[in-house]
Amino acid sequence: MGEKCDKCNKELTYAILTIIDGYCWKCHSKMKVAVVRGEVDRNRSTAGPDEFSKLELEIAQSNGVIIKEQYSKTMDESYLVNCCAKCNSFIGNFFLHADYMFPAS
């Protein structure tokens, strides 16, 4: 059992928005990549932009991360992703974790 809020007695959660200075997988341009790590309301340990709160989106974008809704053939749906400013390629959730988050840890 975790720490509780003094006012409402709900269990406190935490999330860390991490901005990684990385490179586009396609054109190799520098790009900023955002991921949230932590114990949060939606019971996630890591999440890409499709699961960011409004505040997390605002913070990431104000720090130079390009986040757009893109269509993924793999997922057969559109969702918010980290995008390259130069070539508009995006990083899907699997590659976000495997190629950007884990190497940066």
Side-chain angles (χ1 to χ4, degrees):
M1 191 150 185
E3 189 177 343
K4 294 200 175 198
C5 174
D6 293 334
K7 292 182 181 181
C8 69
N9 206 35
K10 287 187 179 179
E11 191 168 333
L12 297 175
T13 59
Y14 71 93
I16 299 168
L17 174 65
T18 302
I19 299 174
I20 301 162
D21 287 320
Y23 293 90
C24 174
W25 64 271
K26 188 172 188 179
C27 74
H28 307 289
S29 296
K30 288 184 178 182
M31 70 180 284
K32 292 187 180 283
V33 179
V35 65
V36 168
R37 295 187 276 184
E39 181 182 318
V40 294
D41 294 339
R42 287 160 274 180
N43 204 20
R44 61 186 177 172
S45 60
T46 61
D50 62 319
E51 294 186 63
F52 285 8
S53 69
K54 184 178 177 182
L55 179 60
E56 291 163 347
L57 282 170
E58 290 172 3
I59 292 169
Q61 291 172 323
S62 71
N63 281 280
V65 181
I66 308 295
I67 296 174
K68 297 180 183 178
E69 186 171 309
Q70 297 277 26
Y71 177 77
S72 166
K73 291 179 191 174
T74 304
M75 300 292 292
D76 192 27
E77 66 182 17
S78 293
Y79 61 99
L80 291 175
V81 293
N82 292 284
C83 287
C84 175
K86 184 174 181 181
C87 74
N88 206 40
S89 291
F90 67 92
I91 303 165
N93 284 336
F94 175 80
F95 293 102
L96 173 64
H97 296 108
D99 293 345
Y100 293 88
M101 192 196 72
F102 291 123
S105 295

